Amino acid sequence: MSSETGKWRIVVLISGSGTNLQALIDAQDTPNLPNARIVHVISNRKAAYGLTRAASANPPISTSYLALQPFLKANPGKNRADYDAEVARLVIRQKPNLVVLAGWMHVLGERFLDVVSGSATLEGEVQVENPIPVINLHPALPGAFAGANGIDRAFEAFQKGEITKSGVMVHRVIKEVDRGEPIIVRDVEIVKGETLEQFEERLHRVEWEIIVQGAAKVLGEYEVVSATIP
């Protein structure tokens, strides 16, 4: 929590239109996400509309753009782990209490997780004292359709009779993709005869709810810890 504002600090990572980011922007410092503010948004796509959403917020939210391929081209000899470290550098400089991956289309590796957890230090940066929790929104139920295109894959599986429902979850980020501890899980029915677009629209509406709930729940754990410290 910032000693200046008395609010929890959130950094959000995005890649696209930013509808999940918008849900967080609308909820910050309200009863749904109390005493919290988004302090920075990072995108790995320059044209991501989420950057515009951040700039248009009241007050405006600062942003950064850092993409993997341009980074590698500009830094011969560097690799994907080095890119993840630079993303971590952008994050820890904001001194956040929480990092939310809201449609971030890049798998962050151990280098990123080691830095934000405080188990590794970047040159020129102060080591993180308290591990920064990282959560991710994934459009599938725990253990199902890990990785990209979860909505399309679930819809296809329904058409084949392999599943009767799908869902969404907010989970903690670990090195195994989409395998971290679930924080919020919500079933989403797939209706026979509906189109992929109709299913996707209903699922997104659930996402907008649970990404806020997940962030609030994790920040609420700080409150419990703070209350138990003598």
Side-chain angles (χ1 to χ4, degrees):
M1 181 178 286
S2 168
S3 59
E4 298 177 1
T5 65
K7 299 184 188 300
W8 302 115
R9 298 171 61 85
I10 302 173
V11 170
V12 182
L13 276 60
I14 65 166
S15 295
S17 66
T19 56
N20 294 307
L21 168 64
Q22 190 65 55
L24 290 165
I25 291 173
D26 294 343
Q28 63 180 342
D29 210 21
T30 72
N32 290 332
L33 193 56
N35 301 318
R37 69 185 183 101
I38 300 167
V39 296
H40 198 68
V41 171
I42 301 170
S43 175
N44 64 346
R45 293 181 181 172
K46 186 179 294 186
Y49 187 68
L51 294 173
T52 300
R53 293 180 187 272
S56 301
N58 185 21
I61 301 167
S62 64
T63 64
S64 296
Y65 160 70
L66 186 64
L68 175 60
Q69 292 306 320
F71 171 82
L72 296 178
K73 186 175 181 180
N75 296 275
K78 298 285 188 179
N79 56 31
R80 186 185 179 103
D82 295 315
Y83 168 79
D84 287 354
E86 287 307 305
V87 175
R89 189 188 304 275
L90 292 174
V91 167
I92 65 174
R93 285 181 174 177
Q94 298 297 325
K95 297 180 171 58
N97 303 103
L98 175 66
V99 178
V100 181
L101 310 186
W104 170 257
M105 302 304 291
H106 170 84
V107 177
L108 291 165
E110 289 186 60
R111 189 83 178 274
F112 174 88
L113 296 173
D114 287 346
V115 172
V116 299
S117 69
S119 61
T121 308
L122 295 175
E123 183 178 353
E125 304 292 340
V126 177
Q127 185 173 12
V128 172
E129 291 185 10
N130 299 308
I132 305 166
V134 183
I135 63 176
N136 178 55
L137 177 68
H138 183 60
L141 295 172
F145 308 111
N149 304 314
I151 298 175
D152 295 37
R153 290 156 62 200
F155 189 78
E156 181 179 354
F158 174 79
Q159 304 305 319
K160 294 179 179 178
E162 297 171 354
I163 61 172
T164 58
K165 64 180 180 180
S166 188
V168 293
M169 68 170 172
V170 174
H171 66 91
R172 296 185 186 277
V173 175
I174 60 174
K175 64 180 181 179
E176 291 82 15
V177 177
D178 297 326
R179 298 294 182 182
E181 174 195 355
I183 299 167
I184 303 284
V185 178
R186 189 86 64 83
D187 291 349
V188 178
E189 181 185 7
I190 305 176
V191 180
K192 188 174 182 179
E194 74 177 341
T195 64
L196 172 61
E197 291 72 23
Q198 290 170 324
F199 167 59
E200 189 170 18
E201 181 180 353
R202 288 192 298 104
L203 186 141
H204 285 324
R205 292 187 181 279
V206 177
E207 286 183 326
W208 302 337
E209 294 178 7
I210 72 165
I211 196 169
V212 173
Q213 294 170 358
K217 186 173 182 179
V218 173
L219 290 175
E221 294 171 1
Y222 276 106
E223 300 278 7
V224 171
V225 171
S226 299
T228 58
I229 295 176

